[in-house]
């Protein structure tokens, strides 16, 4: 849930009075290569008349080449109580650039911008429900809105995503430096030759002919490799309040004093109750665990997005009364409970999501951060908790907020701190398996799995799933087995150790295939699904593998009594800068084999020239994971 959903015109693209030829034939071949859509004209004009009077005008026209490009049209315009839509228009053109459909503001539909978990929200959206009749077509959107808030100034993306090019883009900011002072943070602009013009009261960024980028597997996040412009005010107005910041310390101090102070009061009954729960406990972390457990059992997450609620948490007393809140409200509530038992903690902003996004060190702005978590001082570092989760263990935040710069709000000011990381061997998947093959090639197995780190994050929810859902997941996981039957499974969710264990008993028909007097089977029955990415003849993008992980497998394999080993896979070991793969096979005296496998992939950033080496390493692992053993009937 992003703070202030009405300030998220991140991809709003903007206005001009000129007429453009939207005939698709005139688009240069260089812009249609690798493209599902071509943005023909993209202009945003931000006119800051005063610190509390802003008008934003947008013109955005995109030629959609095929159905995969439909997602790039601008068919909705968000707004809220403080964002007023003054003008709105959509015109649709056919392949020849002839107008075939026109929508005025009165033709737009209006609905709440609910997200499925929002209970209260004043966020709304004007939208057009358009179904294309043929491709290519051009969808042109023009609109204008006003707002009195200058806390957030729209940013600029010059490429909207993979497989979309930009023919012409323009970003204009008009402002009076004596009224409001702006700072600009450029990212990858020189690489893409974005032109910049600056005068006393006007800044213009303009680009032409930005080619579409084809998606390549294991590339860095799109935002890291493409042109992006951040804009933020040093002084601003927000919902009747004024502020001035030049660094993160200033920003955090303003936020704490204006949006957090006075919102942590609790009733005497609640204070007495939480003190009773922690009575006799001296260790601050042990107290914090009791408080976190109380919050998890007695509250639930519901989004609240009304007015200033976009950035400010609802009062702790209100959360205590209704037993729900959004990430801001639940974080503030948990902090208030910890204050009541003398445990220090700090309200924290983070850019949450599977892609790790850091707060920019030298660029304080409200556009950074879409989630709130809590930081608790612990051993010269911090323990982190996400107060919206009713299931995660204390101190475990998973891949949603791991390993990124976040902003801690302290009374004396803001502080950028890195959250806990889960990398390489910390993300571990241990398998201990005992399986048996009978004379007909059928398999029965007892499998013990232990998950640590992000594997815990990805699998611990199985403890809360239905039996049918878990059976489906196991059958999908081992879909290479024939007619697999899950006889039983059991879980141990150890929240103290942050470890999730699974015990599964299963059987599968004809795992070993018969060929005359021989049985042939893959020796690695349960962990042989290494993904080998595509081969590129001319790789364009660098390689990024985030987090890394370790898999360790130990199998005891009981062979059918009537068969002997005719051929067995060779022992193999390879170690590169990308990781390690090692397999060892031991023949035991009791007609059994011991199979040991270690597979480590290291997190890292690599040059595009390293891609083939990275791919070869994964290919080596995949091939050896599927190596066969041949048994000959006695």
């Amino acid at each position: 849930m992003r703070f202030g959903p009405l300030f998220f015109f991140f991809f709003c693209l903007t206005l001009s009075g000129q007429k453009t030829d939207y005939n698709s034939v005139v688009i240069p071949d260089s812009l249609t290569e690798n493209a599902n859509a071509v943005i023909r004209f993209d202009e945003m004009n931000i006119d800051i008349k005063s610190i509390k009077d802003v008008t934003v005008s947008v013109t955005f026209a995109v030629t959609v080449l095929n159905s995969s490009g439909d997602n790039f049209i601008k068919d909705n315009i968000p707004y809220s109580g403080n964002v007023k839509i003054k003008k709105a228009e959509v015109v649709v053109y056919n392949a020849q650039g002839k107008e075939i459909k026109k929508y005025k503001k009165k033709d737009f539909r209006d609905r709440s911008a609910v997200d499925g978990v929002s209970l209260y929200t004043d966020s709304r959206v004007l939208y057009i429900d358009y179904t294309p009749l043929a491709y290519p077509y051009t969808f042109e959107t023009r609109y204008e809105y006003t707002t009195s808030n200058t806390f957030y100034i729209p940013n600029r993306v010059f490429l909207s995503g993979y497989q979309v090019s930009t023919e012409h883009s323009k970003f204009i900011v008009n402002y009076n430096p004596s009224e409001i002072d702006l700072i600009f943070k450029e990212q990858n602009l020189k690489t893409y030759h974005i032109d910049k013009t600056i005068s006393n009261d006007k800044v213009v960024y303009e680009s032409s002919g930005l080619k579409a980028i084809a998606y390549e597997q294991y590339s860095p996040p799109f935002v890291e490799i493409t042109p992006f412009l951040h804009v933020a005010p040093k002084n601003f107005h927000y919902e009747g309040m004024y502020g001035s910041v030049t660094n993160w310390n200033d920003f955090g101090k303003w936020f704490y004093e204006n949006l957090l102070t006075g919102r942590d009061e609790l009733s005497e009954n609640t204070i007495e109750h939480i003190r009773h729960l922690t009575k006799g406990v001296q260790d601050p972390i042990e107290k914090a665990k009791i408080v976190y457990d109380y919050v998890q059992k007695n509250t639930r997450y519901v989004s609240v997005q009304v007015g200033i609620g976009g950035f400010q948490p609802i009062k702790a007393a209100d959360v205590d009364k209704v037993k729900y809140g959004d990430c801001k409200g639940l974080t503030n509530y948990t902090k208030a409970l910890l204050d009541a038992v003398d445990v220090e903690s700090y309200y924290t902003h983070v850019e949450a999501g599977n892609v790790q996004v850091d707060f920019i060190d030298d660029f304080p702005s409200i556009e950074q951060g879409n989630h709130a978590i809590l930081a608790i001082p612990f051993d010269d570092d911090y323990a982190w908790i996400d107060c919206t989760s009713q299931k995660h263990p204390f101190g475990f935040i998973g891949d949603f907020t791991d390993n990124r710069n976040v902003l801690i709000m302290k009374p004396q000011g803001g502080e950028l701190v890195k959250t806990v990381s889960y990398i390489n061997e910390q993300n571990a998947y241990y398998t201990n398996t005992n399986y048996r093959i009978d004379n007909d090639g059928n398999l029965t197995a007892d499998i013990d799995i232990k998950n640590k780190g992000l594997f815990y994050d990805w699998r611990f929810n199985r403890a809360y799933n239905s039996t049918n859902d878990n059976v489906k997941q196991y059958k999908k996981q081992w879909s290479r087995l024939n007619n697999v039957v899950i006889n039983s499974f059991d879980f141990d969710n150890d929240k103290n150790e942050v470890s999730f264990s699974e015990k599964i008993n299963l059987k599968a028909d004809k795992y070993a295939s018969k060929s005359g007097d021989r049985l042939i089977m893959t020796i690695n029955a349960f962990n042989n699904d290494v993904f080998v990415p595509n081969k590129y003849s001319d790789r364009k993008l660098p390689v990024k593998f985030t987090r890394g992980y370790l898999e360790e497998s130990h199998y005891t394999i009981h062979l059918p009594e009537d068969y002997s080993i005719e051929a067995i896979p060779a022992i193999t070991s390879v170690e590169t800068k990308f990781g390690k793969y090692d397999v060892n096979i031991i023949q035991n005296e009791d007609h059994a084999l011991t199979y040991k496998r270690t597979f480590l992939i290291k997190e890292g950033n690599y040059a595009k020239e390293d891609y083939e080496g990275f791919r070869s390493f994964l290919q080596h692992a995949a091939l050896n994971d599927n190596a066969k053993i041949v048994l000959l009937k006695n």
Side-chain angles (χ1 to χ4, degrees):
M1 178 199 62
R2 178 166 296 280
F3 308 99
L6 263 276
F7 301 100
F8 55 5
F9 290 88
F10 293 87
F11 301 99
C12 292
L13 314 174
T14 345
L15 166 69
S16 172
Q18 70 186 63
K19 183 67 177 176
T20 305
D21 180 6
Y22 291 136
N23 191 330
S24 60
V25 176
V26 303
I27 301 175
D29 291 343
S30 61
L31 297 184
T32 58
E33 183 180 2
N34 298 321
N36 295 319
V38 179
I39 296 173
R40 310 295 300 279
F41 190 76
D42 170 10
E43 185 175 313
M44 174 176 279
N45 193 318
I46 303 172
D47 189 10
I48 306 175
K49 300 179 176 64
S50 74
I51 199 169
K52 54 185 302 185
D53 186 1
V54 181
T55 298
V56 178
S57 303
V58 175
T59 295
F60 180 68
V62 55
T63 297
V64 180
L65 304 177
N66 53 56
S67 59
S68 296
D70 287 332
N71 291 333
F72 293 105
I73 67 172
K74 174 62 66 177
D75 58 356
N76 65 84
I77 307 170
Y79 72 97
S80 68
N82 198 271
V83 175
K84 309 293 185 183
I85 305 296
K86 311 302 286 187
K87 302 175 183 177
E89 178 183 272
V90 163
V91 182
V92 185
Y93 302 86
N94 65 12
Q96 291 73 42
K98 180 181 178 181
E99 180 181 315
I100 56 175
K101 191 76 174 176
K102 189 170 187 177
Y103 301 89
K104 295 291 188 181
K105 184 181 177 183
K106 62 181 177 60
D107 301 317
F108 282 70
R109 298 184 181 183
D110 191 328
R111 61 171 171 79
S112 174
V114 294
D115 56 10
V117 292
S118 294
L119 182 63
Y120 300 123
T121 176
D122 63 357
S123 304
R124 301 195 65 81
V125 62
L126 296 180
Y127 71 100
I128 294 295
D129 189 6
Y130 178 75
T131 301
L133 301 177
Y135 297 93
Y137 70 94
T138 298
F139 196 93
E140 181 190 55
T141 307
R142 296 171 180 262
Y143 61 90
E144 180 179 288
Y145 70 87
T146 62
T147 180
S148 64
N149 288 334
T150 48
F151 200 13
Y152 173 77
I153 305 296
N155 294 324
R156 184 59 160 180
V157 293
F158 295 89
L159 281 170
S160 296
Y162 288 111
Q163 265 75 46
V164 57
S165 58
T166 301
E167 188 170 14
H168 183 73
S169 175
K170 197 171 186 178
F171 182 72
I172 304 167
V173 183
N174 299 283
Y175 70 105
N176 183 352
S178 63
E179 174 77 15
I180 185 171
D181 194 6
L182 302 179
I183 52 176
F184 297 84
K185 182 71 175 180
E186 300 174 356
Q187 179 179 307
N188 300 322
L189 264 60
K190 291 182 180 179
T191 304
Y192 286 85
H193 308 293
I194 310 296
D195 296 325
K196 176 174 63 176
T197 305
I198 301 177
S199 62
N200 290 334
D201 57 359
K202 188 175 186 177
V203 177
V204 179
Y205 287 85
E206 193 166 6
S207 67
S208 297
L210 298 183
K211 300 177 182 179
I213 299 175
Y215 174 74
E216 294 176 336
Q217 291 168 326
Y218 291 111
S219 298
F222 190 77
V223 69
E224 290 185 12
I225 58 177
T226 53
F228 197 101
L229 178 66
H230 304 266
V231 186
K234 289 185 179 180
N235 57 310
F236 53 84
H237 167 264
Y238 177 62
E239 300 291 341
M241 298 177 292
Y242 294 87
S244 178
V245 302
T246 57
N247 52 51
W248 283 117
N249 184 75
D250 293 344
F251 186 99
K253 185 175 178 62
W254 181 89
F255 196 102
Y256 187 93
E257 292 177 349
N258 290 274
L259 299 181
L260 297 180
T261 299
R263 308 191 73 79
D264 56 354
E265 296 179 359
L266 294 168
S267 69
E268 287 300 322
N269 286 340
T270 297
I271 293 173
E272 182 180 347
H273 180 66
I274 203 68
R275 287 176 176 172
H276 174 73
L277 291 178
T278 58
K279 185 178 180 179
V281 180
Q282 300 299 321
D283 185 274
I285 290 298
E286 293 305 313
K287 283 186 182 181
K289 289 180 179 179
I290 294 170
V291 170
Y292 183 57
D293 181 67
Y294 174 81
V295 171
Q296 286 186 308
K297 291 178 177 177
N298 290 277
T299 65
R300 60 191 175 93
Y301 172 79
V302 175
S303 178
V304 180
Q305 292 288 331
V306 180
I308 201 170
F311 297 110
Q312 185 179 57
I314 58 178
K315 293 181 178 180
D318 292 338
V319 174
D320 190 50
K321 181 179 179 180
V322 299
K323 303 303 180 188
Y324 61 74
D326 61 7
C327 62
K328 304 180 300 297
L330 292 173
T331 299
N332 181 63
Y333 175 58
T334 307
K335 181 182 183 305
L337 293 172
L338 290 171
D339 287 343
V341 294
D342 301 318
V343 175
E344 186 180 15
S345 64
Y346 299 113
Y347 187 95
T348 303
H349 273 188
V350 56
E351 185 68 27
N354 182 258
V355 176
Q356 297 166 346
V357 179
D358 284 319
F359 275 49
I360 303 171
D361 290 347
D362 58 350
F363 188 77
S365 68
I366 195 62
E367 55 101 358
Q368 299 176 70
N370 61 3
H371 190 55
I373 58 177
L374 202 61
I376 303 171
F378 174 61
D379 285 350
D380 298 324
D381 200 351
Y382 293 96
W384 303 93
I385 55 175
D386 188 326
C387 305
T388 65
S389 173
Q390 294 178 301
K391 299 176 181 178
H392 279 84
F394 178 89
F396 183 79
I397 53 177
D399 64 4
F400 194 54
T401 52
D402 69 318
N403 196 29
R404 64 202 76 188
N405 278 341
V406 300
L407 179 65
I408 290 179
M409 311 291 188
K410 295 183 176 181
Q412 61 270 30
E415 180 184 345
L416 289 187
V417 176
K418 182 79 79 173
T419 57
V420 62
S421 63
Y422 307 103
I423 59 172
N424 300 340
E425 292 92 337
Q426 293 172 320
N427 306 314
Y429 181 84
Y430 302 106
T431 308
N432 195 324
T433 299
N434 193 314
Y435 79 82
R436 183 179 301 275
I437 303 296
D438 67 18
N439 287 328
D440 294 320
N442 300 318
L443 175 150
T444 57
D446 289 299
I447 307 168
D448 288 353
I449 299 171
K450 187 174 184 179
N451 303 280
K452 301 282 288 184
L454 292 183
F455 282 103
Y456 175 91
D457 198 26
W458 299 330
R459 296 177 74 95
F460 83 97
N461 270 312
R462 296 189 176 195
Y464 302 92
N465 291 345
S466 69
T467 298
N468 286 338
D469 285 343
N470 282 322
V471 168
K472 288 178 182 178
Q473 287 182 337
Y474 284 127
K475 285 187 174 182
K476 182 178 180 180
Q477 179 177 349
W478 294 309
S479 59
R480 295 186 181 188
L481 303 179
N482 296 317
N483 300 320
V484 60
V485 175
I486 307 299
N487 293 320
S488 65
F489 58 84
D490 189 36
F491 303 130
D492 179 19
N493 185 12
D494 189 334
K495 290 190 174 184
N496 289 323
E497 293 294 326
V498 192
S499 173
F500 184 68
S501 298
E502 308 167 66
K503 293 182 180 294
I504 308 102
N505 176 268
L506 62 78
K507 64 178 182 179
D509 294 340
K510 311 298 183 184
Y511 176 69
S513 59
K514 279 192 174 183
S515 177
D517 289 337
R518 291 173 174 82
L519 285 176
I520 304 171
M521 68 179 191
T522 301
I523 195 167
N524 182 359
F526 301 102
N527 209 9
N528 56 2
D529 56 355
V530 173
F531 173 72
V532 179
N534 293 337
K535 185 177 182 64
Y536 300 102
S537 59
D538 184 20
R539 174 83 180 192
K540 302 293 185 184
L541 300 176
V543 179
K544 182 166 187 171
F545 195 88
T546 305
R547 298 182 178 93
Y549 63 86
L550 169 69
E551 293 178 351
E552 286 192 353
S553 304
H554 185 285
Y555 297 170
T556 300
I557 306 164
H558 301 276
L559 303 176
E561 293 293 337
D562 293 347
Y563 286 81
S564 299
I565 297 172
E566 182 180 46
I568 194 169
I571 295 173
T572 181
S573 181
V574 60
E575 188 165 0
T576 72
K577 62 182 177 181
F578 311 111
K580 178 182 179 180
Y581 181 85
D582 181 83
V583 165
N584 192 21
I585 305 172
I586 301 171
Q587 297 188 46
N588 303 328
E589 294 180 356
D590 55 351
H591 213 62
L593 296 175
T594 297
Y595 172 87
K596 296 180 180 180
R597 171 186 181 270
T598 298
F599 180 46
L600 170 68
I601 293 189
K602 299 178 182 179
E603 62 89 25
N605 294 284
Y606 309 101
K608 65 179 182 180
E609 291 78 13
D610 288 323
Y611 178 76
E612 271 308 307
F614 176 69
R615 183 177 179 275
S616 295
F617 170 66
L618 296 178
Q619 193 171 39
H620 174 87
L623 287 172
N624 282 278
D625 273 355
N626 286 280
K628 303 290 193 293
I629 182 172
V630 180
L631 305 177
L632 181 64
K633 193 169 186 178
N634 296 330

